[in-house]
Coordinates of all heavy atoms in Angstrom, one line a residue:
N1218 N -36.9 21.6 16.6 CA -38.3 21.9 16.6 C -38.8 22.7 15.4 O -39.7 23.5 15.5 CB -38.6 22.7 17.9 CG -38.8 21.8 19.1 OD1 -39.3 20.7 19.0 ND2 -38.2 22.2 20.2
L1219 N -38.1 22.4 14.3 CA -38.6 23.1 13.0 C -40.0 22.8 12.7 O -40.7 23.7 12.2 CB -37.7 22.7 11.9 CG -36.2 23.0 11.9 CD1 -35.5 22.6 10.6 CD2 -36.0 24.4 12.2
H1220 N -40.5 21.7 13.1 CA -41.9 21.3 12.8 C -42.9 22.1 13.7 O -44.1 22.1 13.4 CB -42.1 19.8 13.0 CG -41.8 19.3 14.4 ND1 -40.5 19.4 14.9 CD2 -42.5 18.8 15.4 CE1 -40.5 18.9 16.2 NE2 -41.7 18.5 16.5
K1221 N -42.4 22.8 14.7 CA -43.3 23.6 15.5 C -43.2 25.0 15.2 O -44.0 25.8 15.6 CB -42.9 23.4 17.0 CG -43.2 22.0 17.6 CD -42.9 21.9 19.0 CE -43.0 20.5 19.6 NZ -42.2 20.4 20.8
A1222 N -42.1 25.4 14.5 CA -41.8 26.8 14.3 C -42.8 27.5 13.3 O -43.0 28.7 13.4 CB -40.4 27.0 13.8
G1223 N -43.3 26.8 12.4 CA -44.2 27.5 11.4 C -45.0 26.6 10.6 O -45.5 25.6 11.1
N1224 N -45.1 26.9 9.4 CA -46.0 26.1 8.5 C -45.3 24.8 8.1 O -44.2 24.7 7.9 CB -46.2 26.9 7.2 CG -47.1 28.1 7.5 OD1 -47.8 28.2 8.5 ND2 -47.0 29.1 6.6
L1225 N -46.1 23.8 8.1 CA -45.7 22.5 7.6 C -46.2 22.4 6.1 O -47.1 23.0 5.8 CB -46.4 21.3 8.4 CG -46.0 21.3 9.9 CD1 -46.7 20.2 10.6 CD2 -44.4 21.0 10.0
P1226 N -45.4 21.8 5.3 CA -44.3 21.0 5.6 C -43.0 21.8 5.7 O -42.9 22.9 5.2 CB -44.1 20.1 4.3 CG -44.7 20.9 3.2 CD -45.8 21.7 3.8
V1227 N -42.1 21.3 6.5 CA -40.7 21.8 6.5 C -40.0 21.3 5.3 O -39.8 20.0 5.2 CB -40.0 21.4 7.8 CG1 -38.6 22.0 7.8 CG2 -40.8 21.9 9.0

Side-chain angles (χ1 to χ4, degrees):
N1218 280 318
L1219 295 187
H1220 58 297
K1221 292 182 189 158
N1224 292 339
L1225 296 177
V1227 177

